[in-house]
Amino acid sequence: MNSDSCFRRKREPHVGPAAVTPINNKASSGGLPKTARGEATRKSILDAAERVIGSNGYSDASIGQITREAGVAQGTFYIYFKTKEQVFSELVLEMGRLVRHRIAEATANVPNRLDAEKAGLTAFLGFVQAHPDLYRIVQEALFVDPKAYRAYYESFANGYIDGLNTALRAGQISPGDPETRAWALMGVARALGEQLVVFNTKTPIQDLVETGFDLIANGLKP
Amino acid sequence: MNSDSCFRRKREPHVGPAAVTPINNKASSGGLPKTARGEATRKSILDAAERVIGSNGYSDASIGQITREAGVAQGTFYIYFKTKEQVFSELVLEMGRLVRHRIAEATANVPNRLDAEKAGLTAFLGFVQAHPDLYRIVQEALFVDPKAYRAYYESFANGYIDGLNTALRAGQISPGDPETRAWALMGVARALGEQLVVFNTKTPIQDLVETGFDLIANGLKP
DNA sequence: GTAAAACATGAATAGTGATTCATGTTTCAG
DNA sequence: CTGAAACATGAATCACTATTCATGTTTTAC
């Protein structure tokens, strides 16, 4: 329940002229569009939101900017989204789907877990580099929409845990609590991704993967 | 250069009545206090800011809340801090000092690097659990004060890199790029800390340390 | 003791931007 | 064709709160 400073408290819900009004339930406020036109408009708003929020951050991104960027009037925004927070949440969800899909794709036909770790890390870093904005968006979700933030990482973790369990049963990795390991491994990937887009390291992705993977596979022991 | 939505553009600097005005340079606006009284007031504001920002987040924390919590008038805030952003930055700095100090302390007399990793991880998780607010504060710094955010992690990393280099020379760890390793290892600690205060895991700290350390030391290889 | 510096107050100012709404314009089922 | 639903518009509203300032009150140096 964060939100921008202005207009925090919702205004008293405005009751229409009377029950007489035709039940104009529109696509109204958050509803999904019912025609191709609406579909297109909604998408262009969402895309604009991605760019604007991605580069300015949530608080500094204004609905005006977003709609201008999308080429629609300001009021149009509220035909498709109930609040500013809602677009943001959808952005986070969408991004989660994209990353997971990309990693699943990259690790799909890799039968060995360690190779899968390497492939997954490579795919993740490639994705981060291609979508630096989306990376920041997820980070900010912790404050704007904690639920979405948790959902993002948890659905990520679940897949990871499954993978580790399978590998464990197949004797491909040493024993160890899969849940904690999953979070730790995600932490490695996240940190290296952050190196890329937040700290702008000069280290090439390939080297990050090399060093990161060696650590994951063999640890620090001499 | 983020900031809250309200009053983004600074008002035209107000020029005093004339050059006649005594150079009342006060502790004015961001200056440090010059008496014990001032010192105490400043500290109480900073402490209040920690609590308020820690639990409400930066945007939702208002100066009014902070000063109320500190038991001073709203204007008093501006005797010690130039802007809302400034208190926040100081909070981040202060927190960085605290964590690093704690970890340095915990690893000081541990001659072996692997043992030091374990001790450091334990100390870090303990700290995080004791200061869940401060943990969130650092995360939010990425958006409110990116410079402080980077400084926080970079000074952390520097110590880490030194430690790894020393250990490498002493043959206590296997070879591998210390910089990338440092970030990856910090990523593990960060992720496990997040488990604790953001995801509220039931796993006891000791188990997190056990699993995390085993991964760091030996990797996943069977 | 006293002037000046420090510190404290809190009401007033003013920028901002999310959200609404009254009013069009398009689209489409029948 | 035609009326209703869907979609679009953009000016107006107005809750919020960071920051300032004119005016006290305390403390300190001498």
Side-chain angles (χ1 to χ4, degrees), chain A residues 48-58 60-61 65 69 91 132-134 136-137 140, chain B residues 2 143:
Chain A
E50 178 181 325
R51 274 167 293 169
V52 174
I53 297 182
S55 64
N56 298 2
Y58 180 79
D60 282 356
Q65 254 178 305
E69 178 89 11
L91 243 38
D133 285 353
L134 299 190
R136 293 181 77 240
I137 287 170
E140 196 159 15
Chain B
N2 186 322
F143 305 96

Side-chain angles (χ1 to χ4, degrees), chain A residues 113-114 117 160 164 167-168 171-178 180-182 184-185 188 210-222, chain B residues 114 117 173-174 181 184-185 188 209-222:
Chain A
R113 183 70 211 175
L114 286 173
E117 285 298 328
Y160 223 128
L164 290 176
L168 194 52
Q172 295 178 349
I173 59 174
S174 64
D177 174 33
T180 302
R181 274 180 164 182
L185 293 168
V188 170
E210 214 67 55
T211 304
F213 173 69
D214 178 66
L215 186 65
I216 289 172
N218 306 305
L220 287 176
K221 237 177 211 167
Chain B
L114 286 174
E117 286 298 328
I173 58 175
S174 64
R181 274 181 164 181
L185 292 169
V188 170
V209 171
E210 214 66 56
T211 304
F213 174 70
D214 178 67
L215 186 65
I216 288 173
N218 306 305
L220 287 175
K221 237 177 211 166

Side-chain angles (χ1 to χ4, degrees), chain B residues 176-207:
Chain B
D177 174 34
E179 187 174 340
T180 302
R181 274 181 164 181
W183 290 102
L185 292 169
M186 284 167 55
V188 170
R190 180 177 170 178
L192 298 185
E194 197 172 34
Q195 271 299 288
L196 233 39
V197 297
V198 176
F199 293 91
N200 299 309
T201 182
K202 295 296 172 210
T203 313
I205 287 192
Q206 209 175 347
D207 294 0

